[in-house]
Amino acid sequence: MSDFFNGGWSDYIALVSLVGIVWCIWLLASQRKAKVVHTADGAVADTGHVWDGDLRELNNPLPRWWAWMYLIFCVFALVYLVLFPGLGSFPGVLGYTTDGSLMKSMTTANEELKPVYAKYVTMDIEQVAADPKAREMGQRLFLNSCAQCHGSDAGGAKGFPNLTDGDWLYGGSPENIKTTLINGRAGVMPPFPQLDSKQIVDVANYVRSLSGLPADDLKAARGSEVYKSNCAACHGPEGKGNIALGAPNLTDKVWLYGGSEATIVETVTKGRMAMMPSQDKVLSPEKIHLLTAYVWGLSNNKQPATVK
Amino acid sequence: MSDIPPGGKPIPIEVIEESLYEVRRKIYPRSVTGLFARWRLILVFATQLLFYGLPWVSWNGRQAVLFDLIQRKFYIFGVVLWPQDVIYLTLLLILSALALFLFTAIAGRLFCGYACPQTVYTEIFMWIERKVEGDRFARIRLDGEEWPWGFRKWRLKITKHFLWLLIAFWTGFTFIGYFTPITTLGSALIHLSLGPWQTFWLCFYAFATWGNAGFMREQVCKYMCPYARFQSVMVDKDTFLVTYDKVRGEPRGSRSKSADHESLGLGDCVDCSICVQVCPTGIDIRDGLQYMCIGCGACIDACDQVMEKVDYPKGLIRYTTERAIEDRESNQSAIRHILRPRVLIYTAFITVLTAAFLVSLVTRNPLRVDVMRDRGALAREVEGVRIENIYRIQIMNASENNMNVQVKALGLDGLKVLNSQGQVVTEIEVAPASNLLMPIKVSADTGVNQPGNYPIHFDVIAHEMSGNEMITRTRDEKSTFIIPR
């Protein structure tokens, strides 16, 4: 409760709360008695209030326990304000915060889940990937944390790698996948303003020819020179890519942004920025372990992404 | 103040300031026998047999009525309700409300007098109290000056509370038995291994029963209950209510049995105050209709017995309508007013809703399907071959049998449903009372359709084996298929 822009407001709010409770108690005490009209035989007739000439208010006093309840709740309010935050920015003697309460319940939940994960933490990724229960859990984690970009079927989308095809930008060993998950990745394809548009079209045709796509032979031949001096540094002399840099293999049928000539021209002209966020702060190590196994299993030992 | 006070009240004489809060006078209702007391007894038995007995009935090898909050499934005999079926609870509440309106319009606070748990448990507790401490006067004396706290008083009070608490705990135990299987609950109770929440709720309901039926009693009706307040506005001139026939009874007064009271100028009321003594809320019905009257009819039974003794006709206090009292009609002619618009409208509503409720329950489709399109990407192109859209399909099998499910996508030429491995989905097995979430791809061949958004729908067909017969269930879920430019 540090939302007050100066201390005065906090004191003011606290004062209003306390005065309110005190006023409630005063109201109860001051209204203990009422004037009632007694008849000749001593019975109570009414309160003497009359409306419209003939509408009277009978005397139906509250039960005393009701008044006691009222007082008890006033005391309860005071006790509450001492124990819990409520009086301006006074944090309460118990030190309770909603945030702390959430953290506590999350810690408790994680503690309760520990035995569920414990079995898998000591296993190799390959073993975990073969365990149907672990795959089921992995799939749920994937749908919660990864499917937003990679798709529910892990098949990727434009700019988001397909995780099921066995083609890996940064390597597909369990260790590589785990590193990707923990640290995240930043894939950068720089733009090439030093090339003119003709050279770019040439290099695009050359790149298409590498993976056997239809291309203009003349342009591709010219483009091979452009490639050697500009692209081979990252994508390798044969266009096989480089997993240390995350540079894609240009000789296969897998395209992260699309393989049409126009798309490749756009890629070379403007560059591409890709970002895999780090999961280190988001997911516990046990969960990352399970996810690694799940993702690795998608393209190895042919585990189906759906768990029956 | 007007000069002529209404209701013939005596002229006020003085104004005194006194406490606004009333100290509760303990009420010692006198026991009563008769027609309405018997009806109440029958209803006490009927409702409590149902309440205490139902958790022990089993069905298909499970508890017949179980509200499993943790698994979020409500078992009611042959029906398994899921959270998605909350509409039935809504209907049930609406029906209960309408039934309350109808009964109240016909004969006042029938629910309060005969079926309300507060009345029923108070009745049970008062019966125990009577058996232990004796009837009204014995109880008044026991609590009064002449019985200081001695061995006998302690013995009676302890016996009474012990029996009360026994019933209270059994009530609490039965109540939580609706939420956790009562047999395991019973063994947990015997081995003292109840969970903290179960223990809390057991004690909470036991305490509530003991407190409400043993101590609060009429205070609940007078000061806490919302029904008491709004039922009073649902009565009209043709509603049968517990009524003291003022015209016949006044002026009241005691007389010798042989006296001709008409020549004495007296009405039929002998002012014996038995109607006040038997009243569980401690009111005097002769003051007319008041909101504290729960319509239990105890005063009718009591007054009829007195009328019999003094040889007057019965029914000085009786169920009758305001119109019948004013027009001096017999009850036979008052009954003719029962079928009035408000009653007919309530009845029509109840009939229609009950029919709708039953029809929808009988024709309930235990197959439920949700399709959620992946929001991350519009569509995926598999270069030059096909366009894919990704969905998550959730298939819920709310029946108690296995289901074999087929999924078809329709609405666009040549749509295929594939699993995430890219194989065509043929048949999916969904276990009883479970749900299955799977990512699916729907693919269309490239170049067949123009780019754009197409409304498609998923036809889901499930084959359920119920015993030896095959039941086919279908669901149709709408979604969108996007073909990028």
Side-chain angles (χ1 to χ4, degrees):
Chain A
M1 279 297 282
S2 52
D3 306 357
F4 300 114
F5 45 84
N6 66 45
W9 278 112
S10 165
D11 295 345
Y12 173 70
I13 299 285
L15 189 73
V16 169
S17 313
L18 289 174
V19 166
I21 296 170
V22 170
W23 182 80
C24 284
I25 295 171
W26 169 83
L27 185 75
L28 183 73
S30 66
Q31 301 300 311
R32 276 199 318 264
K33 293 195 181 317
K35 285 190 164 59
V36 288
V37 181
H38 280 252
T39 56
D41 58 1
V44 175
D46 53 45
T47 57
H49 303 165
V50 183
W51 293 268
D52 301 343
D54 61 353
L55 186 63
R56 308 161 170 282
E57 184 183 33
L58 293 178
N59 182 39
N60 278 322
L62 268 183
R64 198 172 49 180
W65 55 262
W66 198 284
W68 279 114
M69 219 160 61
Y70 188 96
L71 200 61
I72 286 165
F73 281 119
C74 289
V75 173
F76 173 88
L78 289 170
V79 172
Y80 177 93
L81 288 174
V82 169
L83 295 179
F84 291 93
L87 273 184
S89 47
F90 173 66
V93 295
L94 291 185
Y96 171 90
T97 59
T98 45
D99 191 43
S101 152
L102 172 70
M103 287 302 152
K104 207 169 123 192
S105 53
M106 272 171 61
T107 317
T108 320
N110 285 334
E111 283 303 312
E112 280 172 3
L113 283 175
K114 269 222 157 47
V116 178
Y117 289 111
K119 180 175 146 197
Y120 303 115
V121 173
T122 51
M123 281 191 201
D124 290 343
I125 293 290
E126 289 85 347
Q127 286 173 297
V128 180
D131 183 308
K133 187 109 185 74
R135 282 209 310 279
E136 220 175 298
M137 286 158 67
Q139 185 191 34
R140 278 200 287 273
L141 289 169
F142 186 90
L143 289 177
N144 269 334
S145 310
C146 322
Q148 291 85 331
C149 301
H150 293 281
S152 297
D153 64 342
K158 186 178 175 179
F160 300 101
N162 182 345
L163 306 177
T164 62
D165 58 3
D167 179 63
W168 298 94
L169 292 169
Y170 294 92
S173 73
E175 296 72 36
N176 284 339
I177 296 173
K178 202 170 226 182
T179 311
T180 303
L181 277 166
I182 292 173
N183 301 331
R185 300 283 185 187
V188 179
M189 156 92 190
F192 284 84
Q194 62 272 38
L195 299 178
D196 62 30
S197 54
K198 197 159 137 304
Q199 285 173 304
I200 292 178
V201 171
D202 291 345
V203 87
N205 274 279
Y206 173 70
V207 169
R208 277 176 68 86
S209 71
L210 285 179
S211 48
L213 291 168
D216 184 314
D217 291 344
L218 189 65
K219 287 177 184 169
R222 284 205 306 265
S224 117
E225 294 307 311
V226 181
Y227 180 89
K228 280 198 186 82
S229 49
N230 292 287
C231 321
C234 297
H235 292 280
E238 290 160 18
K240 290 280 183 201
N242 180 348
I243 61 169
L245 298 169
N249 180 351
L250 303 176
T251 63
D252 59 11
K253 289 265 195 296
V254 179
W255 296 95
L256 189 53
Y257 295 96
S260 70
E261 189 186 303
T263 309
I264 299 172
V265 166
E266 188 188 358
T267 302
V268 178
T269 313
K270 297 177 178 172
R272 298 284 183 186
M273 296 283 281
M275 165 74 174
M276 159 82 195
S278 153
Q279 302 301 314
D280 195 24
K281 294 274 186 295
V282 186
L283 298 168
S284 64
E286 300 92 344
K287 288 180 181 170
I288 289 182
H289 191 72
L290 273 183
L291 267 172
T292 306
Y294 176 75
V295 171
W296 182 83
L298 289 174
S299 52
N300 294 282
N301 52 345
K302 290 291 160 236
Q303 299 300 354
T306 53
V307 180
K308 283 274 179 77
Chain B
M1 306 246 11
S2 63
D3 293 335
I4 308 157
K9 286 227 184 274
I11 307 285
I13 48 157
E14 52 179 336
V15 176
I16 300 175
E17 188 169 81
E18 57 176 43
S19 171
L20 194 56
Y21 305 111
E22 189 177 40
V23 183
R24 183 193 171 204
R25 286 180 310 110
K26 193 168 171 188
I27 293 174
Y28 299 91
R30 186 172 170 156
S31 68
V32 68
T33 53
L35 175 65
F36 298 108
R38 196 168 322 122
W39 267 113
R40 191 162 29 262
L41 197 64
I42 290 166
L43 271 147
V44 167
F45 269 98
T47 51
Q48 296 320 292
L49 264 178
L50 196 68
F51 174 73
Y52 289 117
L54 212 47
W56 299 99
V57 181
S58 58
W59 182 276
N60 275 351
R62 55 165 168 79
Q63 194 169 313
V65 177
L66 180 67
F67 306 120
D68 192 339
L69 294 177
I70 294 166
Q71 298 295 330
R72 286 184 288 185
K73 292 191 177 56
F74 284 10
Y75 303 94
I76 299 157
F77 292 95
V79 186
V80 184
L81 296 179
W82 288 42
Q84 288 87 344
D85 296 311
V86 75
I87 184 75
Y88 293 119
L89 178 67
T90 317
L91 275 174
L92 205 61
L93 291 173
I94 292 173
L95 272 174
S96 309
L98 283 170
L100 186 80
F101 298 168
L102 177 69
F103 293 148
T104 310
I106 292 174
R109 289 167 64 176
L110 285 179
F111 172 76
C112 300
Y114 301 94
C116 172
Q118 179 64 27
T119 299
V120 165
Y121 287 106
T122 301
E123 204 66 30
I124 295 170
F125 274 46
M126 285 199 310
W127 180 80
I128 291 173
E129 198 166 50
R130 241 192 335 269
K131 290 285 169 224
V132 174
E133 296 181 358
D135 203 1
R136 174 178 159 92
F137 295 112
R139 292 207 304 274
I140 292 176
R141 276 203 298 276
L142 186 71
D143 287 358
E145 300 291 305
E146 60 192 279
W147 279 102
W149 284 96
F151 175 74
R152 178 175 177 271
K153 194 163 172 176
W154 276 111
R155 181 174 61 84
L156 293 181
K157 292 284 175 193
I158 287 170
T159 312
K160 178 178 82 172
H161 281 282
F162 173 76
L163 293 172
W164 277 4
L165 284 169
L166 212 59
I167 287 189
F169 270 100
W170 190 246
T171 308
F173 172 75
T174 306
F175 191 87
I176 53 175
Y178 278 92
F179 299 91
T180 34
I182 199 158
T183 42
T184 55
L185 204 66
S187 67
L189 193 67
I190 291 163
H191 298 119
L192 298 176
S193 60
L194 278 182
W197 278 111
Q198 291 171 332
T199 312
F200 169 78
W201 287 116
L202 175 69
C203 294
F204 176 86
Y205 282 106
F207 175 77
T209 309
W210 180 67
N212 281 332
F215 297 90
M216 297 301 285
R217 291 192 181 170
E218 84 291 343
Q219 301 278 306
V220 174
C221 310
K222 282 166 73 171
Y223 300 115
M224 303 173 173
C225 179
Y227 284 2
R229 305 292 170 147
F230 76 74
Q231 279 188 91
S232 312
V233 302
M234 293 189 289
V235 303
D236 56 19
K237 284 187 81 157
D238 294 309
T239 304
F240 279 82
L241 295 166
V242 177
T243 314
Y244 164 70
D245 192 341
K246 238 194 195 97
V247 184
R248 214 189 105 184
E250 296 298 314
R252 64 187 78 156
S254 53
R255 74 287 311 263
S256 73
K257 210 181 152 179
S258 56
D260 174 17
H261 62 283
E262 278 175 37
S263 61
L264 290 171
L266 290 172
D268 280 0
C269 174
V270 298
D271 208 4
C272 65
S273 82
I274 286 221
C275 58
V276 180
Q277 293 176 31
V278 298
C279 179
T281 59
I283 57 168
D284 188 342
I285 192 67
R286 294 170 301 176
D287 293 343
L289 177 63
Q290 43 212 295
Y291 81 92
M292 302 86 144
C293 171
I294 58 168
C296 68
C299 49
I300 303 181
D301 288 335
C303 188
D304 279 351
Q305 284 170 353
V306 173
M307 290 292 115
E308 218 167 340
K309 283 199 189 88
V310 296
D311 251 346
Y312 294 164
K314 284 183 182 183
L316 175 60
I317 305 177
R318 63 181 184 274
Y319 268 105
T320 188
T321 70
E322 192 186 345
R323 195 190 301 275
I325 291 280
E326 277 177 10
D327 303 351
R328 308 312 299 155
E329 285 184 0
S330 68
N331 268 8
Q332 273 71 29
S333 71
I335 284 172
R336 282 207 294 276
H337 293 295
I338 280 189
L339 295 179
R340 54 195 186 273
R342 101 173 22 201
V343 170
L344 293 173
I345 290 168
Y346 289 148
T347 313
F349 270 134
I350 290 174
T351 314
V352 169
L353 274 179
T354 309
F357 184 85
L358 291 174
V359 165
S360 86
L361 202 59
V362 168
T363 59
R364 192 173 77 105
N365 188 348
L367 170 73
R368 290 172 177 278
V369 178
D370 273 331
V371 176
M372 293 151 282
R373 207 177 164 284
D374 260 22
R375 291 177 180 80
L378 292 178
R380 180 188 306 149
E381 271 183 278
V382 179
E383 197 62 40
V385 188
R386 58 182 190 268
I387 312 280
E388 282 178 352
N389 278 226
I390 320 299
Y391 304 84
R392 289 182 198 179
I393 188 165
Q394 179 139 25
I395 302 167
M396 282 160 266
N397 174 2
S399 78
E400 296 192 88
N401 310 305
N402 243 338
M403 275 187 183
N404 288 318
V405 183
Q406 291 159 348
V407 182
K408 292 195 187 77
L410 302 166
L412 200 58
D413 285 341
L415 288 183
K416 285 206 269 301
V417 178
L418 314 170
N419 67 14
S420 43
Q421 297 303 97
Q423 298 136 346
V424 175
V425 173
T426 48
E427 198 157 75
I428 311 159
E429 194 171 305
V430 187
S434 73
N435 65 41
L436 180 138
L437 174 75
M438 69 183 270
I440 52 171
K441 307 182 214 218
V442 174
S443 80
D445 292 341
T446 304
V448 178
N449 302 290
Q450 292 297 313
N453 287 12
Y454 293 92
I456 60 164
H457 58 103
F458 287 86
D459 243 2
V460 183
I461 301 155
H463 297 295
E464 179 195 336
M465 285 302 288
S466 176
N468 287 334
E469 65 168 322
M470 164 90 79
I471 309 170
T472 306
R473 315 270 188 192
T474 54
R475 279 279 181 185
D476 194 57
E477 273 297 310
K478 289 188 181 61
S479 193
T480 310
F481 190 87
I482 296 177
I483 295 178
R485 286 182 202 292

